[in-house]
């Protein structure tokens, strides 16, 4: 059974960097597609990035492309999201998700979700 726990959120100023991590417990984590989503108050959940089990397939939403980097940790029980040049528009609760099929931004392909970590970017 896969359980996901996010960490690394916080309050930063615009232009700063933040690194989110998702720690997984349970077997077969390395075989899962891993994704990051975010949700701001009053808004729909939004796809941010995802990575295939092998790491060869990676997708980003356009608004974070070139600024965010998703990667699997050296320890295969982690997935990270390096966020650079953060902007106030990035403020949201960020969720780690795991799925068994690579369909990129489709949230229905993810069956396990973490509890979320708050990222707040001030001007």
């Amino acid at each position: 059974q896969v359980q996901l726990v996010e960490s690394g959120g916080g309050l930063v100023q615009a232009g700063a960097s933040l690194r989110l991590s998702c720690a997984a417990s349970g077997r077969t984590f390395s075989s899962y597609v891993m994704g990051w989503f975010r949700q701001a108050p009053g808004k729909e959940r939004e796809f941010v990035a995802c990575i295939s089990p092998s790491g060869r397939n990676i997708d980003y939403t356009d608004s974070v492309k070139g600024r965010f980097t998703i990667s699997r940790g050296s320890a295969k029980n982690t997935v990270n999201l390096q966020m650079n040049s953060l902007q106030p528009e990035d403020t949201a609760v960020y969720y780690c998700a795991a799925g068994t099929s690579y369909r990129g931004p489709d949230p229905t392909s993810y069956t396990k979700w973490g509890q979320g970590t708050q990222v707040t970017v001030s001007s």
Side-chain angles (χ1 to χ4, degrees):
Q1 199 76 252
V2 175
Q3 303 293 327
L4 308 176
V5 180
E6 304 95 333
S7 64
L11 172 63
V12 299
Q13 295 184 4
S17 296
L18 210 56
R19 185 177 179 85
L20 305 184
S21 294
C22 176
S25 61
R27 297 181 178 181
T28 69
F29 171 79
S30 62
S31 68
Y32 278 73
V33 175
M34 301 301 301
W36 286 96
F37 291 76
R38 64 187 182 186
Q39 187 168 24
K43 296 186 178 180
E44 295 289 324
R45 180 178 53 189
E46 176 189 21
F47 167 78
V48 177
C50 65
I51 185 169
S52 65
S54 68
R56 70 175 62 184
N57 296 309
I58 295 175
D59 288 290
Y60 299 98
T61 189
D62 286 343
S63 64
V64 308
K65 194 173 300 181
R67 299 188 297 119
F68 290 12
T69 302
I70 188 172
S71 63
R72 290 187 178 273
S74 298
K76 297 302 182 181
N77 65 334
T78 61
V79 63
N80 304 308
L81 185 69
Q82 178 66 44
M83 305 184 294
N84 297 328
S85 301
L86 283 163
Q87 305 168 17
E89 295 75 34
D90 297 315
T91 295
V93 176
Y94 283 69
Y95 297 92
C96 177
T100 57
S101 178
Y102 190 83
R103 283 181 280 166
D106 182 7
T108 65
S109 67
Y110 300 90
T111 58
K112 298 290 184 179
W113 296 81
Q115 83 288 351
T117 185
Q118 177 70 49
V119 172
T120 302
V121 185
S122 63
S123 300

